[in-house]
């Protein structure tokens, strides 16, 4: 089928300047305008913005910790009934199936689950397979497991580490690697409660810095497109900016991605010893071309924090709202914590909100800063439309600031920053740059040969409404959303790397699992057929 979108303003920074031009789709792919051809289906999108489908590089949408959060708050999931207002998960507790529809309605077509424990990979992929419409990918967690730490402690070769990392990526069907508070989960088992970049893991004698640098180099040597995805030490505490700055400085010419930088943007100034260091971190990022970051923006209201950083989650128990939590001290990379939390418009919430916006606005290159709320940790992803408005309108920021704590905002630079994101910068930050970062050449732009993931937004003064309710969304050429509502369901696919496993490493892993767990390696691996979906289904919603 040949589909034509005509009359819209096409925003595609990868291929051309913004202009009115037609977009053509044939058999699920974008194509150049065919000479003399007549479209089988034409959509008049006059008065609309046309972009590629959006990509979210860091959103916790599936896996063990996500389901544990649901178990922690079962009263808000009974039969998927509407939840009481202003209660935990009232605005974030939707089902796995709804995740795909809510993303699609905003024009998002690809989402990365950034924290998959290797031993729960099958569970994670099975759950992600139940999310319709969008394509999904995962990042496998390393850096707290016995095998990695033992390799580093025993001085094994970089080639052996590379073989292990490649085996983990391939066997878990991941698109990349993430390290979470490197070494801290292992140290937590030895009753350590504070762990920084140059602290060492008991019994292993390796520092957090050594773990990060080793995995960073391995991912680079293997040619994994996405740099090592780093959740740094000391998340969320006053003075965490020192840790972030040290981590940025440690790149030493090797690419690195620093996750949810907002949670590291805190200094120790002021009466409460809690202030913004966003300007300092933005300067460090701007000066280091090897670093990319995502923000993890805080928005106000109830949410639930989900993290495999078991040490930090354990120390956050006292802030739980309501007062119930789950802490999992799992094997290696499999632990974590679930802590419900409400971001209030008080001193602390106001400062966190401002820090995220400062980072968005002060980091100058939209190709190196990525649009996230660390869903659901800073806010549910459904807050994205309001966040777009804050980035694109200084007046919107000013209006919201009048509702917030003036003392906190006085310790930030936000009021003096008048930058407003353009549509082209939004398209880079949410389409072109994520595709480049993840090595996905088939999306993030509207050039010929790309998959036909297309989002159409109706222009209007209400920026949040424009991005909340896409006028049209195409996924692989199928029209799945009209006027902000899903009208057609289909299955997305899993995006993964498939490095060939080293035979010696497979034998080593077989022996390791039998010795450590008394179980065959078959208990921890699975065939592709276990997570495959049937052909896309067609169900029209009236």
């Amino acid at each position: 089928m040949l589909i034509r979108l005509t009359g819209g303003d096409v925003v595609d920074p990868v291929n051309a300047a913004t202009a009115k031009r037609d977009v053509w789709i044939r058999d699920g792919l974008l194509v150049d305008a065919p000479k003399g051809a007549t479209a089988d289906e034409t959509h008049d999108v006059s008065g609309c913005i046309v972009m590629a489908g959006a990509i979210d590089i860091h959103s916790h949408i599936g896996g063990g910790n996500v389901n544990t959060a649901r178990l922690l708050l079962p009263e808000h999931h009974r039969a998927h009934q509407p939840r009481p207002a202003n209660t935990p998960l009232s605005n974030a507790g939707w089902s796995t199936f709804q995740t795909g529809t809510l993303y699609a309605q905003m024009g998002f077509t690809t989402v990365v689950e950034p924290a998959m424990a290797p031993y729960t990979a099958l569970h994670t992929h099975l759950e992600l397979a139940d999310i319709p419409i969008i394509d999904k990918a995962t990042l496998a967690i390393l850096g707290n497991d016995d095998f990695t730490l033992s390799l580093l402690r025993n001085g094994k070769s970089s080639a052996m580490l590379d073989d292990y990392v490649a085996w983990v990526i391939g066997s878990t069907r991941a698109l990349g690697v993430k390290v979470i508070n490197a070494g801290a989960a292992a140290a937590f088992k030895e009753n350590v409660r504070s762990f920084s970049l140059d602290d060492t893991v008991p019994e292993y004698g390796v520092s957090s810095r050594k773990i990060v640098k080793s995995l960073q180099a391995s991912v680079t040597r293997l040619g994994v497109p996405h740099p090592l995805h780093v959740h740094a030490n000391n998340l969320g505490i006053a003075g965490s900016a020192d840790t972030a700055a040290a981590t940025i400085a440690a790149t030493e010419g090797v690419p690195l991605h620093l996750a949810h930088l907002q949670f590291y943007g805190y200094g120790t100034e002021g009466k409460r010893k809690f202030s913004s260091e966003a300007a300092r971190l933005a300067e460090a990022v701007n000066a280091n071309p090897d670093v990319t970051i995502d923000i993890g923006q805080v928005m106000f209201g109830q949410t639930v924090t989900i993290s495999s950083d078991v040490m930090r989650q354990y120390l956050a128990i006292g802030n739980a709202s309501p007062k119930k939590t789950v802490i999992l001290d799992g094997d290696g990379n499999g632990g974590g914590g679930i802590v419900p939390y409400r971001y209030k418009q008080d001193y602390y919430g106001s400062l966190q909100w401002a820090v995220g916006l400062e980072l968005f606005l002060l980091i100058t290159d939209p190709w190196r800063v990525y649009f996230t709320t660390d869903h659901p940790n800073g806010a549910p992803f459904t807050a994205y439309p309001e966040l777009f408005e804050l980035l694109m309108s200084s007046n919107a920021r000013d209006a919201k600031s009048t509702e917030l704590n003036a003392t906190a905002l006085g310790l930030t630079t936000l009021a003096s920053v008048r930058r407003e994101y353009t549509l082209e910068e939004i398209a880079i930050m949410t389409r072109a740059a994520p595709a480049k970062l993840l090595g996905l050449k088939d999306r993030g732009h509207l050039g010929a040969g790309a998959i036909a993931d297309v989002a159409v937004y109706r222009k209007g003064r209400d920026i949040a409404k424009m991005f909340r309710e896409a006028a049209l969304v195409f996924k692989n050429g199928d029209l799945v959303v009209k006027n902000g509502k899903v009208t057609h369901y289909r299955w997305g696919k899993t995006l993964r790397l498939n490095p060939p496993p080293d035979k010696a490493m497979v034998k080593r892993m077989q022996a390791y699992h039998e010795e450590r767990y008394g179980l065959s390696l078959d208990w921890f691996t699975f065939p592709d057929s276990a997570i495959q979906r049937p052909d896309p289904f067609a169900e029209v919603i009236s």
Side-chain angles (χ1 to χ4, degrees), residues 167-427:
W167 177 82
V168 170
I169 291 172
S171 65
T172 64
R173 280 65 172 171
L175 194 63
V177 175
K178 182 181 185 182
V179 61
I180 298 177
N181 199 353
F188 183 74
K189 300 176 189 300
E190 303 297 328
N191 294 319
V192 175
R193 297 294 179 263
S194 176
F195 199 75
S196 294
L197 187 61
D198 289 308
D199 289 337
T200 58
V201 184
E203 294 194 17
Y204 295 96
V206 295
S207 69
S208 187
R209 183 189 295 268
K210 174 70 172 177
I211 298 166
V212 171
K213 294 292 294 177
S214 298
L215 289 173
Q216 177 192 19
S218 180
V219 166
T220 303
R221 287 192 299 267
L222 288 168
V224 176
H226 183 36
L228 181 66
H229 197 99
V230 178
H231 168 131
N233 319 92
N234 295 320
L235 178 143
I237 66 173
S240 57
D242 290 341
T243 299
T247 305
I248 291 169
T251 55
E252 299 173 339
V254 182
L256 179 144
H257 180 84
L258 193 54
H260 36 66
L261 188 59
Q262 178 277 136
F263 286 108
Y264 300 94
Y266 313 142
T268 56
E269 301 299 319
K271 183 178 179 181
R272 292 178 174 85
K273 304 298 181 183
F274 191 72
S275 58
S276 171
E277 288 283 347
R280 172 190 168 199
L281 292 185
E283 184 178 357
V285 172
N286 287 335
N288 191 332
D290 298 312
V291 172
T292 56
I293 66 104
D294 63 80
I295 297 295
Q297 176 68 34
V298 160
M299 303 290 273
F300 299 108
Q302 180 70 54
T303 191
V304 58
T305 65
I306 297 172
S307 179
S308 294
D309 189 346
V310 62
M311 181 181 291
R312 292 305 313 152
Q313 290 297 81
Y314 174 80
L315 296 173
I317 287 175
N319 297 321
S321 177
K323 295 293 184 181
K324 54 179 179 176
T325 59
V326 174
I327 302 296
L328 302 169
D329 185 16
D331 184 84
N333 303 300
I338 315 301
V339 182
Y341 191 77
R342 175 182 291 275
Y343 290 102
K344 301 176 183 178
Q345 297 185 174
D346 58 7
Y347 177 90
Y348 297 100
S350 297
L351 189 126
Q352 290 180 288
W353 175 85
V355 165
L357 293 175
E358 285 183 284
L359 290 169
F360 267 123
L361 298 166
L362 294 174
I363 295 172
T364 55
D365 185 357
W367 287 92
R368 295 198 294 122
V369 57
Y370 298 88
F371 183 91
T372 69
T373 60
D374 187 17
H375 164 82
N377 294 314
F381 67 79
T382 48
Y384 285 178
E386 286 70 30
L387 181 52
F388 281 126
E389 183 170 47
L390 292 170
L391 295 178
M392 297 182 73
S393 170
S394 58
N395 288 336
R397 297 196 295 270
D398 291 344
K400 186 62 181 178
S401 294
T402 63
E403 304 173 13
L404 306 181
N405 186 284
T407 302
L409 296 184
L411 292 172
T412 76
T413 65
L414 184 60
S416 66
V417 182
R418 309 314 293 169
R419 177 185 175 188
E420 296 179 334
Y421 268 68
T422 65
L423 284 168
E424 288 76 13
E425 288 174 320
I426 293 293

Side-chain angles (χ1 to χ4, degrees), residues 48-261:
C48 294
I49 301 294
V50 182
M51 294 183 179
I55 302 169
D56 190 341
I57 70 162
H58 191 114
S59 181
H60 299 279
I61 58 172
N65 282 339
V66 173
N67 273 325
T68 303
R70 294 181 174 122
L71 291 170
L72 181 65
L73 299 157
E75 62 272 26
H76 304 300
H77 290 271
R78 237 175 250 130
H80 302 297
Q81 294 300 311
R83 297 155 179 88
N86 301 318
T87 54
L89 294 187
S90 61
N91 63 343
W94 45 79
S95 68
T96 300
F97 193 88
Q98 287 174 298
T99 296
T101 63
L102 291 168
Y103 261 116
Q105 286 166 190
M106 298 187 297
F108 281 77
T109 53
T110 304
V111 179
V112 178
E113 162 53 61
M116 176 179 66
Y119 293 151
T120 63
L122 176 58
H123 171 109
T124 302
H125 282 296
L126 288 172
E127 184 168 355
L128 294 178
D130 279 341
I131 299 177
I133 303 174
I134 62 175
D135 291 338
K136 288 82 58 175
T138 60
L139 302 180
I141 307 169
L142 288 175
N144 278 289
D145 56 295
D146 172 72
F147 198 86
T148 296
L149 298 179
S150 296
L151 288 178
L152 299 179
R153 177 191 59 197
N154 298 333
K156 297 298 183 181
S157 69
S158 58
M160 185 175 289
L161 178 63
D162 292 352
D163 288 341
Y164 175 58
V165 172
W167 177 82
V168 170
I169 291 172
S171 65
T172 64
R173 280 65 172 171
L175 194 63
V177 175
K178 182 181 185 182
V179 61
I180 298 177
N181 199 353
F188 183 74
K189 300 176 189 300
E190 303 297 328
N191 294 319
V192 175
R193 297 294 179 263
S194 176
F195 199 75
S196 294
L197 187 61
D198 289 308
D199 289 337
T200 58
V201 184
E203 294 194 17
Y204 295 96
V206 295
S207 69
S208 187
R209 183 189 295 268
K210 174 70 172 177
I211 298 166
V212 171
K213 294 292 294 177
S214 298
L215 289 173
Q216 177 192 19
S218 180
V219 166
T220 303
R221 287 192 299 267
L222 288 168
V224 176
H226 183 36
L228 181 66
H229 197 99
V230 178
H231 168 131
N233 319 92
N234 295 320
L235 178 143
I237 66 173
S240 57
D242 290 341
T243 299
T247 305
I248 291 169
T251 55
E252 299 173 339
V254 182
L256 179 144
H257 180 84
L258 193 54
H260 36 66
L261 188 59

